[in-house]
Amino acid sequence: MTENMNMNLESYVITEVPPKVHYIPNFITPEEEENILNKVNSSPKPKWTQLRNRRLQNWGGVPHPNGMISEKIPEWLEFYMDKINKLAVYNQSNRPNHVLVNEYLPGQGIMPHTDGPLFHPIVTTITCGSHTVLEFYERHSTEDFTKDQGCTTSELGLPKPCATLLLERQSLLILQEDMYHRHLHGISEQTQDTIDETIKNLHLCQAKVGDELKRSTRISLTIRNAPKSTKIKLFS
């Protein structure tokens, strides 16, 4: 990625989906990807939260409707937050202050969801270690499914997604506007993906139609702003 990427950001808008999605391939270098993977994998065991279908880390605090208790973010993560800030997607008043690290093993995914009102309505995600396919759904068609946090995507009987994107290693995804507010996004539990014409950002990817891509362990950094944050304890 060049230092002037913020001047050319509109070149990375995916026009075949509702507003607004940017997809930037090769946002980080292979060396930066290796650094992220090393730092995540060497994190202390108590930093991990184990869920039914994946595990995760919160950095900067744990978001809560009453407010997020701010915690210092390590320098290795601040580097990538600053890299995103150079795109001028965020302004000074809503600079990122939270990073969610998700680990997906082959066959793991996440049910359709929105990031919701806890965050400023921009979500930026760096993908490391493996590709994945991100699926979008119209919100009215999946609202009932999202109420059951115990379900996996294979148990939901989901409708056909209205859009799919291929997220390759070292890429950055930016979701805003309708794609943040009016659509849910999720990842199906697959070990392999067949690339076809339904993927809306394929012109920016290295993969081609007909490729069979096996998933390996994916680490994602979801970098965003939690407006209600404080250094004072709000809840017990």
Side-chain angles (χ1 to χ4, degrees):
M1 189 193 77
T2 66
E3 291 298 321
N4 294 323
M5 181 65 78
N6 61 317
M7 301 296 294
N8 304 310
L9 194 57
E10 293 308 300
S11 300
Y12 297 90
V13 172
I14 308 304
T15 58
E16 295 82 2
V17 300
K20 193 173 192 180
V21 178
H22 293 87
Y23 177 78
I24 304 176
N26 303 312
F27 177 72
I28 59 172
T29 66
E31 292 76 20
E32 289 170 340
E33 178 188 40
E34 183 177 3
N35 175 65
I36 290 171
L37 295 173
N38 287 338
K39 292 293 187 181
V40 169
N41 290 327
S42 63
S43 297
K45 188 174 182 179
K47 193 66 183 175
W48 288 101
T49 298
Q50 182 67 55
L51 304 182
R52 179 180 178 185
N53 59 343
R54 69 189 189 284
R55 61 177 185 162
L56 57 82
Q57 301 174 8
N58 277 286
W59 294 95
V62 179
H64 188 276
N66 291 339
M68 183 178 76
I69 302 175
S70 298
E71 300 173 355
K72 181 174 175 55
I73 293 178
E75 290 184 2
W76 69 270
L77 277 174
E78 286 185 344
F79 175 85
Y80 301 102
M81 297 167 77
D82 289 343
K83 195 164 187 172
I84 288 173
N85 281 328
K86 290 178 182 178
L87 301 177
V89 174
Y90 295 93
N91 59 41
Q92 191 63 35
S93 64
N94 56 41
R95 291 169 67 88
N97 61 359
H98 180 262
V99 182
L100 177 67
V101 176
N102 275 303
E103 178 193 67
Y104 297 92
L105 302 179
Q108 292 183 337
I110 185 171
M111 63 187 295
H113 66 283
T114 65
D115 285 38
L118 291 183
F119 301 99
H120 182 77
I122 300 174
V123 57
T124 56
T125 302
I126 297 173
T127 290
C128 301
S130 174
H131 81 284
T132 198
V133 171
L134 189 65
E135 300 169 333
F136 293 87
Y137 301 85
E138 294 183 15
R139 192 165 188 167
H140 65 80
S141 66
T142 52
E143 280 181 323
D144 291 339
F145 293 118
T146 62
K147 295 176 184 176
D148 186 355
Q149 297 295 326
C151 285
T152 62
T153 60
S154 60
E155 296 169 335
L156 292 177
L158 289 170
K160 185 177 180 179
C162 62
T164 57
L165 299 176
L166 175 62
L167 308 186
E168 294 186 305
R169 296 174 61 172
Q170 303 158 26
S171 67
L172 176 71
L173 178 75
I174 306 171
L175 298 182
Q176 298 170 266
E177 300 178 18
D178 282 1
M179 282 304 242
Y180 185 96
H181 292 291
R182 301 183 62 179
H183 288 76
L184 298 98
H185 55 276
I187 299 171
S188 296
E189 285 126 341
Q190 308 282 351
T191 59
Q192 183 170 294
D193 299 289
T194 301
I195 305 305
D196 60 26
E197 296 88 347
T198 64
I199 294 175
K200 303 301 185 181
N201 63 328
L202 201 54
H203 61 289
L204 292 172
C205 298
Q206 294 182 356
K208 305 299 180 185
V209 172
D211 287 352
E212 300 280 347
L213 304 181
K214 290 185 177 181
R215 294 187 190 180
S216 53
T217 300
R218 175 176 176 257
I219 296 292
S220 65
L221 305 185
T222 299
I223 298 171
R224 52 200 173 179
N225 171 268
K228 292 175 64 176
S229 62
T230 179
K231 295 182 180 179
I232 301 174
K233 190 172 185 180
L234 293 177
F235 53 93
S236 58

